[in-house]
Amino acid sequence: MNQFAEKSEGRSIYSAINWKRRIVLAFTIAAVLALGIVDMSIGSSNLTFRECVRILLQGPGVKGTYELIVWRVRLPMTLTCVGVGGCLALSGLQVQTITNNPLASPYTLGISSGASFGAAIAIVTGISIFGFQWIGTAAIAFAFALFVTLMIFFLGKMKGMSAHTLVLVGIIMNFFFSALQQYLQYRASAEIAQIISNWSFGNLARASWTSAIVGIAVTFAGVIYFARLSWKLTAFTAGEERALSLGIPVESLKMQVFTASALLIATGVGFIGTVGFVGLVAPHCARMLVGEDQRYLMPVSTLFGILVMLAASTVSKLMTQGSMLPVGIVTSIVGVPFLFVLLMREVR
Amino acid sequence: MNRILRTKDVTVRFGDKTVLDRISADFEAGVMTAVIGSNGVGKTTYLKAIAHLIGSSGTTELEEDGRSTFRKKDIAYVPQLGALQTRLTVFEMVLLGLVSNLKWHVTDEQTDMVWQTLLDLGISHIAGQPFNTLSGGQKQLVSMAQSLIGKPKVLLLDEPTSALDLRHQLIVMDLAERYTREQNVVTIFVVHDLMLASRYGSNLLVLHNAGIYAYDRADRILKPDLIREVYGVNSRVLSLEEGYQMVLPLEPI
């Protein structure tokens, strides 16, 4: 074989590796669009799939009952799924990446429950920032999410943490914050206690155009931010010590990524409450299909998070005619067995 | 080119414990030096201090034809193979060796560099395989390929043979030796096996009690007295006609 043939063989092997990933990416985008429309066409009023598409294509101007339902209720709810699913999956992926721990996710590490408790405080006190209550809620949720992530960061730095210790810390965080939340619920008025209780399930009934737009904007910003770090994050998968010797500023990268993840989680939790396991399930499925090159893994994980949320929302609407089962319940019912399987694989 | 790695007064403290106390040693290029000593004596720490991966005082300089420099990218530290379970393919693992130069789009030139490195190390046939499905020997070769693609002038190998069977130990060490000679690289390796140290180390640096106990050719160093002092073991040392030393451990003291 001459030199040229040998060279081109390397190129073709690498492009074959990436070609499959592009196909998965394309299919995932198509699936998100399809499931989005399916999700939108399901609900209490008898809107057909076809009508739903027609109303969407017409644009928001037309007046009519179905038009209002689609543009005022269904679309913001579906788009909120997109925003929340994206935020949760993206943060889940990056927390897994920098802790190098397949069991890590915002939910299993207790970051979500910290954020949820923060949001509960905001609800009880009715805090608003710049006149908006959602900013107040998201800000306090962020503060608590950041607190938990920094605790994990410094504990890891001090003690050096194995996969299992990290998850145990998560359990402690979960216990601690759910106790605090229960206390808050116990002390609050019946009405507020009800709101907090709903919060801990993750309920899409709270969705609005604000939650949709902010959720999607934050997801988009997160994707752009992590895209710039994609090779550094990929190097992390080759081991922390390895990344350090390849010249990557490991500690500062961890700090940045933890903070960004906390912000993403707070956005997810701040609008519709705790939705567990999306950040665990989505990155795993994505990793199995596209491998660990972050240029593909990151967008595909994000899209999978959106798919999981859309699927959970569709199921929750189908399970309860008329009202809406909180999505958090659906994701947890699916997520717990998933975590169990992962844990068994780790222990083996 | 005349190339020497000089370390001077390298000192590392963890808390109030001094792990390495003013270590000064020079290392020639083109040959390999083995760092030996008992567990916890600071062999790995010494390599990491040379690569500036941990906080240390003292200086490390690479002298080339009389001119001294220190550039972190000239030094490659290959960590001990841990329980790394990444799904990255061999091709991507080696590509990551270029991580500081990678942009979103990987250039053909970079792809070719990866391929050439895989060919040089004889692992091109596993290019598309995920890292977590490889054998220990293959993992070690990939790990070294990842470091070698950056064309380092100093190669620091931390127990490169620890998880390998006899044949793969030799394959990995032969490869390191060839690269060291052909590229005129300064190579320092940490090893527990004294036979490998003697077989591949043109010089042996013995760490003991935070300092250098001895630094010389294997046949001058590997003596029962030293083994007793450093390892706490009674032994016999045989000089083989191939020029290597064989340490036969007899009993702990």
Side-chain angles (χ1 to χ4, degrees):
Chain A
M1 211 186 289
N2 63 33
Q3 184 92 32
F4 179 75
E6 285 186 352
K7 263 189 178 177
S8 67
E9 197 181 339
R11 290 179 195 180
S12 62
I13 286 174
Y14 189 54
S15 66
I17 292 173
N18 288 324
W19 182 238
K20 193 191 141 204
R21 294 168 173 170
R22 293 201 189 105
I23 293 174
V24 173
L25 184 61
F27 267 103
T28 316
I29 292 171
V32 164
L33 289 174
L35 196 56
I37 298 175
V38 169
D39 177 60
M40 239 185 292
S41 61
I42 290 170
S44 48
S45 48
N46 304 316
L47 242 167
T48 61
F49 182 80
R50 194 177 290 211
E51 261 177 302
C52 191
V53 175
R54 181 184 59 80
I55 293 170
L56 279 179
L57 292 177
Q58 266 176 354
V62 185
K63 294 277 179 290
T65 317
Y66 283 163
E67 280 77 0
L68 279 179
I69 288 175
V70 169
W71 283 97
R72 293 270 176 85
V73 182
R74 299 272 182 92
L75 188 59
M77 216 181 252
T78 300
L79 291 180
T80 299
C81 278
V82 173
V84 170
C87 282
L88 292 177
L90 203 47
S91 62
L93 169 67
Q94 301 311 5
V95 168
Q96 277 171 19
T97 304
I98 51 171
T99 56
N100 225 324
N101 185 344
L103 301 176
S105 79
Y107 198 63
T108 48
L109 296 186
I111 307 171
S112 294
S113 55
S116 176
F117 174 65
I121 289 182
I123 294 167
V124 170
T125 54
I127 279 179
S128 60
I129 295 179
F130 306 126
F132 294 103
Q133 200 180 350
W134 69 265
I135 300 183
T137 311
I140 299 180
F142 173 62
F144 276 87
L146 195 61
F147 170 75
V148 179
T149 47
L150 291 182
M151 284 275 289
I152 293 167
F153 178 75
F154 285 114
L155 275 173
K157 211 171 164 175
M158 258 165 41
K159 298 276 175 195
M161 252 196 266
S162 72
H164 296 109
T165 324
L166 198 59
V167 174
L168 289 178
V169 170
I171 291 173
I172 292 170
M173 292 288 172
N174 271 321
F175 280 146
F176 181 61
F177 285 110
S178 46
L180 286 178
Q181 194 157 328
Q182 278 165 350
Y183 173 75
L184 218 56
Q185 241 169 302
Y186 179 74
R187 291 290 304 270
S189 68
E191 189 194 351
I192 291 194
Q194 183 62 39
I195 298 177
I196 297 175
S197 162
N198 269 333
W199 202 268
S200 53
F201 298 138
N203 203 330
L204 278 170
R206 310 181 68 90
S208 64
W209 271 110
T210 310
S211 64
I213 290 168
V214 175
I216 291 175
V218 172
T219 301
F220 191 71
V223 168
I224 301 287
Y225 173 74
F226 287 125
R228 291 176 54 233
L229 299 174
S230 56
W231 281 112
K232 287 182 181 163
L233 290 166
T234 307
F236 242 93
T237 14
E240 193 175 318
E241 202 169 37
R242 184 47 83 138
L244 191 63
S245 61
L246 290 173
I248 288 165
V250 167
E251 292 302 316
S252 82
L253 185 68
K254 270 188 177 176
M255 198 65 168
Q256 281 180 52
V257 172
F258 263 134
T259 308
S261 300
L263 188 62
L264 287 161
I265 293 157
T267 310
V269 170
F271 282 112
I272 65 161
T274 319
V275 180
F277 298 105
V278 177
L280 183 76
V281 175
H284 269 283
C285 298
R287 203 175 280 122
M288 278 190 266
L289 285 173
V290 296
E292 306 207 66
D293 182 339
Q294 288 262 344
R295 292 176 305 159
Y296 298 94
L297 178 58
M298 192 264 297
V300 172
S301 291
T302 309
L303 291 167
F304 271 37
I306 295 170
L307 276 181
V308 172
M309 274 302 285
L310 288 174
S313 155
T314 307
V315 169
S316 76
K317 282 194 269 189
L318 287 174
M319 277 173 73
T320 46
Q321 293 294 323
S323 69
M324 225 185 146
L325 184 70
V327 271
I329 296 179
V330 180
T331 60
S332 291
I333 289 172
V334 180
V336 170
F338 191 92
L339 177 64
F340 182 73
V341 171
L342 281 182
L343 194 64
M344 286 295 117
R345 242 204 293 179
E346 279 300 293
V347 169
R348 194 181 48 174
Chain B
M1 181 194 280
N2 187 17
R3 188 180 279 168
I4 298 172
L5 179 76
R6 297 189 193 279
T7 69
K8 195 155 182 291
D9 292 332
V10 172
T11 302
V12 177
R13 290 189 185 85
F14 292 149
D16 51 6
K17 188 182 174 227
T18 303
V19 182
L20 296 175
D21 189 15
R22 284 165 294 152
I23 307 274
S24 299
D26 296 346
F27 302 90
E28 286 177 65
V31 292
M32 304 209 287
T33 305
V35 176
I36 59 173
S38 55
N39 278 342
V41 76
K43 302 185 290 291
T44 296
T45 306
Y46 185 41
L47 290 197
K48 286 185 177 174
I50 293 174
H52 285 214
L53 295 177
I54 52 170
S56 62
S57 60
T59 56
T60 307
E61 278 178 347
L62 188 63
E63 193 180 297
E64 290 178 298
D65 291 337
R67 283 189 309 163
S68 289
T69 52
F70 176 83
R71 290 188 304 173
K72 226 174 160 177
K73 76 177 195 62
D74 287 338
I75 301 185
Y77 168 75
V78 183
Q80 195 180 349
L81 210 55
L84 184 58
Q85 285 301 340
T86 174
R87 257 184 252 263
L88 285 169
T89 60
V90 168
F91 199 102
E92 291 167 303
M93 278 295 277
V94 178
L95 180 65
L96 281 176
L98 302 172
V99 70
S100 46
N101 297 321
L102 289 176
K103 298 280 184 299
W104 182 267
H105 182 73
V106 178
T107 64
D108 280 348
E109 195 193 353
Q110 288 165 332
T111 313
D112 294 345
M113 278 172 80
V114 173
W115 188 243
Q116 195 55 51
T117 308
L118 292 175
L119 288 174
D120 287 348
L121 269 67
I123 48 175
S124 58
H125 59 289
I126 54 169
Q129 278 189 36
F131 186 79
N132 60 355
T133 62
L134 304 180
S135 71
Q138 289 172 327
K139 282 182 179 169
Q140 186 64 47
L141 289 176
V142 172
S143 180
M144 283 173 59
Q146 193 182 55
S147 298
L148 298 184
I149 193 173
K151 305 243 179 326
K153 295 173 180 171
V154 177
L155 187 59
L156 307 171
L157 305 171
D158 197 351
E159 300 199 29
T161 55
S162 61
L164 310 185
D165 62 30
L166 207 49
R167 189 177 125 78
H168 284 99
Q169 290 183 2
L170 294 177
I171 290 173
V172 166
M173 292 309 291
D174 278 345
L175 186 112
E177 192 176 48
R178 195 188 85 206
Y179 183 83
T180 304
R181 193 180 54 241
E182 286 175 2
Q183 304 293 322
N184 193 34
V185 165
V186 177
T187 298
I188 308 173
F189 66 106
V190 163
V191 71
H192 272 296
D193 187 331
L194 296 177
M195 274 202 280
L196 280 177
S198 151
R199 166 77 178 76
Y200 289 98
S202 69
N203 282 305
L204 271 54
L205 189 148
V206 187
L207 288 177
H208 189 55
N209 289 336
I212 296 177
Y213 185 88
Y215 180 27
D216 208 336
R217 269 167 35 199
D219 59 323
R220 295 193 189 140
I221 279 187
L222 289 178
K223 299 275 164 67
D225 288 349
L226 178 137
I227 307 291
R228 190 181 311 118
E229 194 77 21
V230 171
Y231 290 96
V233 165
N234 282 327
S235 64
R236 273 185 66 201
V237 177
L238 313 170
S239 286
L240 306 179
E241 53 190 80
E242 287 85 353
Y244 305 127
Q245 312 299 306
M246 192 173 132
V247 178
L248 182 70
L250 297 173
E251 61 194 350
I253 300 168

